[in-house]
């Protein structure tokens, strides 16, 4: 039975899954986790070699499980965005992998965002000016670590490191490149204006290629996979979550809540928001994904569990929260524990509770945290819904395992929410892109079996009206949080 592997390189783990090329059925899967490192306040790093070894292990495990099906027809990649890794001329690490959550360049980002140069960089490249963006990370490095900046032969991200270690080639797909803040989304090449402002030679960046670009695995590769196995570059995890969930038609929206979160729609042309609130990334040469990311996804509920419910199971806490009325009886939570990207774009803003009184119980706190995460995403969604009429939301990410939370999402947005059979939409999207790259299909419409919907949730009109009103109060409170940011 022919199969393709989708490999999704995330923030906390890498997941590889083997898909039947016809039915989209998952034949085998394996996941390996790894940790973030925080060597200084506001720094968030990872060991790229640890991630590479984890990726190799998942690929080996999956191919071993599918041995009776033969070798994979190809391996296609999905990966987290916004990371920077500096390598010397021999391919050795000069830094750890500086990931999206790193805020060391916050001061640089604030200054750049308020300038005409920053606005022009955003308009060219589609990535909001924020500490997450590699363009800001590199500006910080140039100022604070000039020797490393000078000695660096290549600045790359996590997927590019894995491809380099497997093949010896420095390549980046248009999708990942478009999230660096240095790649022109209209010309599909590194942006000359931005590189000039950075004083960065294009030779220090990997070669930008189509997400459908194929590289053949060489003999004796570190993953010990068959020589000649096609590696498809694939795209970014956010863009592929839209593809893998089925949210690539006009009128559909994807909401992903994993460690972080995002709201995204599909567009046939690039878009630059005059207020610089949204991103515009490349899925492929004809398709753009417009949306907004949040730092504060399920990681915030994990904080709540670890801090206040350390001995409880998640489902038990969800059940308690379900017993509380929408609006948590006046308790409102602002989830900005890690600063925030969309819609505030502030690394220094912090969260909190408001409306607390003596009648509130731990169940109120649990529900308020769930609602706060969603109300923040609703603020992003309203910006996108001004661009495009939305009828359906495709929900994915780890939160989708909770029916309570998904119903809450439907009620907050006032839209029908559909859940895919699998929450691993990044790996699904990577597999779909791989099959198109290999010529197995000519159009994604031939791969509807990969995006089957398992459950649907309908919004309750009265509850949505409550949440819509609460959204206005939340937005005003968020502005107060911004006013107190330092």
């Amino acid at each position: 039975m022919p199969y393709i592997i989708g490999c999704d390189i995330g923030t906390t783990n890498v997941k590889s899954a083997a898909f039947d090329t016809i039915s989209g059925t998952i034949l085998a899967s394996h996941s390996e986790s790894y940790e973030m490192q925080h060597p200084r306040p506001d720094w968030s790093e990872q060991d790229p070699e640890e991630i590479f070894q984890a990726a190799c292990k998942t690929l080996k495990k999956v191919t071993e499980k599918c041995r009776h099906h033969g070798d994979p027809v190809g391996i296609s990649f999905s990966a987290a965005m916004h990371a920077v890794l500096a390598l010397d001329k021999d391919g050795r690490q000069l830094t750890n992998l500086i990931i999206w959550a790193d805020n060391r360049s916050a001061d640089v980002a604030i200054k750049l965002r308020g300038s005409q140069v920053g606005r022009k960089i955003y308009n060219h490249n589609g990535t909001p000016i924020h500490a997450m963006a590699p363009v800001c990370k590199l500006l910080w490095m140039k100022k604070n670590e000039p020797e490393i900046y000078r000695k660096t032969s290549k600045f790359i991200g996590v997927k590019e490191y894995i491809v380099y270690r497997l093949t010896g080639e420095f390549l980046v797909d248009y999708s990942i490149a478009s999230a660096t803040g240095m790649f022109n989304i209209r010309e599909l090449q590194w942006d000359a204006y931005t590189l000039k402002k950075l004083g960065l030679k294009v030779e220090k960046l990997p070669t930008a290629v189509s997400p459908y670009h194929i590289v053949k695995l060489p003999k004796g590769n570190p993953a010990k996979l068959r020589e000649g196995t096609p590696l498809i570059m694939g795209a970014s995890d956010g863009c592929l979550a839209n593809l893998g969930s089925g949210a690539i038609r006009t009128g559909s929206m994807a909401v992903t809540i994993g460690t972080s979160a995002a709201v995204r729609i599909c567009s046939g042309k690039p878009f630059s928001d005059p207020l610089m609130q949204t991103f515009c990334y490349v899925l492929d040469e004809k398709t753009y994904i417009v949306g907004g990311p949040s730092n504060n996804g399920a990681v915030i509920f994990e904080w709540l569990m670890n801090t206040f419910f350390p001995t409880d199971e998640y489902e038990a806490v969800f059940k308690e929260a379900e017993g509380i009325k929408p609006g948590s009886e006046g308790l409102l939570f602002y989830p900005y524990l890690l600063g925030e990207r969309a819609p505030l774009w502030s690394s220094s803003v912090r969260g909190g509770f408001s409306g607390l009184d003596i009648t509130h119980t731990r169940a109120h706190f649990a529900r308020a945290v769930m609602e706060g995460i969603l109300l923040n995403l609703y603020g992003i969604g309203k910006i996108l819904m001004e661009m495009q009429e939305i009828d359906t939301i495709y929900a994915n990410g780890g939160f989708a395992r909770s029916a309570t939370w998904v119903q809450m999402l439907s009620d907050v947005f006032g839209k029908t929410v559909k859940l895919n059979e699998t929450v691993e939409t990044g790996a699904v999207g990577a597999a779909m892109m791989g099959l198109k790259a290999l010529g197995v299909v000519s159009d994604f419409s031939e791969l509807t079996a990969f995006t089957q919907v398992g459950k649907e949730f309908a919004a309750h009109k009265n509850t949505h009206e409550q949440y819509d009103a609460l959204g206005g109060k939340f937005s005003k409170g968020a502005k107060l949080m911004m006013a107190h940011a330092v």
Side-chain angles (χ1 to χ4, degrees):
M1 182 182 294
Y3 68 95
I4 187 168
I5 296 176
C7 181
D8 184 18
I9 309 149
T11 303
T12 57
N13 59 68
V14 57
K15 295 158 283 195
S16 288
F19 299 87
D20 180 301
T21 60
I22 304 300
S23 68
T25 302
I26 296 179
L27 304 176
S29 64
H30 187 76
S31 176
E32 291 284 332
S33 62
Y34 32 80
E35 300 293 327
M36 286 188 203
Q37 302 169 19
H38 304 285
R40 299 186 193 178
D42 287 330
W43 289 32
S44 295
E45 301 179 347
Q46 289 178 314
D47 179 356
E49 187 62 22
E50 182 183 4
I51 298 174
F52 172 68
Q53 294 300 333
C56 288
K57 188 171 182 180
T58 66
L59 293 171
K60 288 181 207 173
K61 289 283 187 181
V62 168
T63 52
E64 285 170 6
K65 291 176 183 178
C66 293
R67 189 181 294 114
H68 57 292
H69 293 301
D71 295 312
V73 299
I75 299 168
S76 184
F77 291 100
S78 164
M81 297 174 275
H82 310 307
V84 169
L85 169 65
L87 300 179
D88 68 13
K89 60 183 177 59
D90 298 313
R92 293 186 298 244
Q93 290 176 228
L94 294 173
T95 64
N96 267 335
L97 185 73
I98 305 169
I99 66 170
W100 63 268
D102 190 281
N103 279 322
R104 74 186 69 178
S105 63
D107 289 345
V108 172
I110 291 169
K111 184 176 180 180
L112 183 62
R113 186 175 175 84
S115 70
Q116 287 301 315
V117 170
R119 180 170 293 280
K120 191 168 182 179
I121 287 174
Y122 167 76
N123 287 334
H124 283 199
N125 306 324
T127 302
I129 305 300
H130 181 266
M132 70 172 186
V135 64
C136 295
K137 292 178 169 76
L138 292 185
L139 281 169
W140 180 93
M141 189 182 295
K142 184 179 181 182
K143 178 182 178 181
N144 294 279
E145 296 179 342
E147 188 63 18
I148 291 177
Y149 191 85
R150 184 188 63 79
K151 287 174 62 177
T152 298
S153 176
K154 291 290 182 185
F155 291 109
I156 60 174
V158 65
K159 187 202 290 189
E160 299 88 273
Y161 182 73
I162 289 172
V163 170
Y164 165 67
R165 294 281 279 110
L166 288 173
T167 69
E169 295 189 48
F170 285 111
L171 302 171
V172 62
D173 61 79
Y174 296 157
S175 186
I176 290 289
S178 70
T180 64
M182 301 181 288
F183 188 79
N184 193 301
I185 57 175
R186 293 166 180 83
E187 299 175 0
L188 297 182
Q189 61 184 10
W190 294 113
D191 186 58
Y193 175 82
T194 305
L195 298 194
K196 183 178 180 180
K197 292 299 178 182
L198 279 168
L200 183 66
K201 294 180 179 179
V202 72
E203 292 79 18
K204 288 198 172 189
L205 297 171
T207 301
V209 296
S210 166
Y212 302 108
H213 184 80
I214 295 173
V215 188
K216 297 293 181 71
L217 270 175
K219 184 178 180 180
N221 61 81
K224 298 180 181 178
L225 297 173
R226 178 180 60 84
E227 179 186 2
T229 299
L231 294 189
I232 299 92
M233 288 298 296
S236 67
D237 55 358
C239 291
L240 287 174
N242 273 61
L243 176 60
S245 65
I248 57 169
R249 67 170 179 82
T250 301
S252 63
M253 173 184 282
V255 173
T256 302
I257 305 181
T259 305
S260 57
V263 184
R264 301 175 301 271
I265 59 174
C266 185
S267 173
K269 58 184 180 180
F271 171 79
S272 296
D273 176 29
L275 299 178
M276 297 195 293
Q277 298 172 102
T278 58
F279 60 67
C280 182
Y281 300 145
V282 175
L283 173 61
D284 63 20
E285 291 86 340
K286 297 181 180 179
T287 314
Y288 297 84
I289 303 298
V290 182
S294 168
N295 287 355
N296 301 288
V299 67
I300 302 304
F301 199 82
E302 183 180 353
W303 161 82
L304 178 86
M305 291 292 293
N306 292 339
T307 307
F308 299 106
F309 303 90
T311 62
D312 292 271
E313 297 292 330
Y314 275 74
E315 279 306 317
V317 177
F318 290 145
K319 191 68 177 175
E320 282 191 53
E322 195 174 349
I324 303 300
K325 294 178 182 178
S328 302
E329 298 186 86
L331 185 62
L332 196 56
F333 176 64
Y334 301 91
Y336 310 126
L337 306 193
L338 295 168
E340 189 51 293
R341 290 180 285 173
L344 305 180
W345 297 105
S346 169
S347 297
S348 58
V349 69
R350 287 298 179 266
F353 290 90
S354 68
L356 176 63
D357 68 38
I358 202 165
T359 65
H360 290 132
T361 66
R362 69 181 214 156
H364 288 89
F365 278 85
R367 186 172 186 107
V369 168
M370 296 167 75
E371 290 177 335
I373 292 168
L374 293 178
L375 287 168
N376 186 59
L377 295 179
Y378 183 48
I380 302 169
K382 289 178 82 169
I383 297 168
L384 302 180
M385 286 186 280
E386 290 176 0
M387 293 175 54
Q388 194 179 108
E389 183 71 29
I390 299 299
D391 53 55
T392 304
I393 292 173
Y394 291 86
N396 47 74
F399 97 111
R401 296 186 179 94
S402 166
T404 302
W405 214 344
V406 178
Q407 182 60 58
M408 198 181 292
L409 170 68
S410 179
D411 291 336
V412 169
F413 278 73
K415 305 295 179 184
T416 296
V417 173
K418 295 184 178 182
L419 291 186
N420 298 98
E421 292 285 0
T422 175
V423 297
E424 308 301 352
T425 48
V428 172
M432 293 171 68
M433 182 161 271
L435 291 174
K436 187 175 178 182
L438 293 165
V440 176
V441 298
S442 58
D443 192 87
F444 292 129
S445 62
E446 301 172 51
L447 296 172
T448 53
F450 281 71
T451 57
Q452 292 296 309
V453 171
K455 293 181 181 178
E456 291 191 18
F457 295 76
H460 300 112
K461 185 173 183 293
N462 290 340
T463 306
H464 170 63
E465 289 173 353
Q466 288 179 258
Y467 277 130
D468 191 47
L470 191 60
K473 184 178 179 182
F474 178 92
S475 179
K476 291 178 182 178
K479 290 176 182 177
L480 290 174
M481 293 291 179
M482 281 289 288
H484 286 90
V486 293

